Amino acid sequence: MILISACLAGVPCRYDGKASLADIAQKLVTEKKAIYVCPEVSGGLSTPRDPAEIVGGSGEDVLDGKAKVITKSGEDVTEQFIAGANHTLELAKKVGATMVILKENSPSCGSSFIYDGNFQGKKVSGDGVTSALLKRHGFQVGSEYDLYE
């Protein structure tokens, strides 16, 4: 079973209330080869919501208490991001996920790149909070770009 970011499967759950549809992700869900989850919504955040970025590091640093997830308006949503990551980890274990495909660049789901925390659109290498937690627990995590390989 593959676990996929809900926005990639067509669910309008991104911060801006939109989806990031990847047709192949939606097809995998329809064929019951994948299930979807949105860590941010699972963590208690609404849709739409203020954009958030990791300030002071990466998802690893958030998990270690060295960085925070802050919205553009300055609200600390670290707790919700960690709760969503934990929910996603439990779901991945429950369904026996063999791979997890998450939305690149997201402060939750980025598996190679995240935004730098300055809300200027600059990306840096690093994992989002959920991606970092899943990798710590041995899950293979990729992005939407890996769906096409």
Side-chain angles (χ1 to χ4, degrees), residues 4-130:
I4 296 178
S5 287
C7 63
L8 296 175
V11 178
C13 58
R14 284 173 31 112
Y15 75 92
D16 58 5
K18 297 178 182 176
S20 292
L21 178 63
D23 291 337
I24 191 168
Q26 193 173 47
K27 182 177 186 242
L28 289 167
V29 171
T30 302
E31 293 174 352
K32 300 193 183 321
K33 295 176 182 173
I35 62 167
Y36 60 80
V37 64
C38 176
E40 294 175 23
V41 172
S42 296
L45 296 173
S46 63
T47 303
R49 56 190 168 275
D50 205 17
E53 293 185 9
I54 298 172
V55 176
S58 68
E60 286 281 341
D61 297 313
V62 172
L63 295 173
D64 293 340
K66 298 175 184 173
K68 296 196 174 292
V69 185
I70 306 293
T71 66
K72 192 171 186 177
S73 62
E75 180 184 0
D76 184 342
V77 289
T78 305
E79 184 177 307
Q80 292 92 327
F81 273 71
I82 291 173
N86 283 315
H87 173 267
T88 303
L89 173 63
E90 292 309 312
L91 182 59
K93 289 178 180 178
K94 180 179 177 183
V95 302
T98 55
M99 174 169 245
V100 183
I101 300 293
L102 300 174
K103 178 70 182 108
E104 195 64 87
N105 307 318
S106 159
S108 288
C109 297
S111 61
S112 296
F113 294 97
I114 55 173
Y115 289 99
D116 71 357
N118 292 309
F119 297 95
Q120 300 296 315
K122 183 180 177 201
K123 298 174 195 171
V124 295
S125 293
D127 289 321
V129 179
T130 297

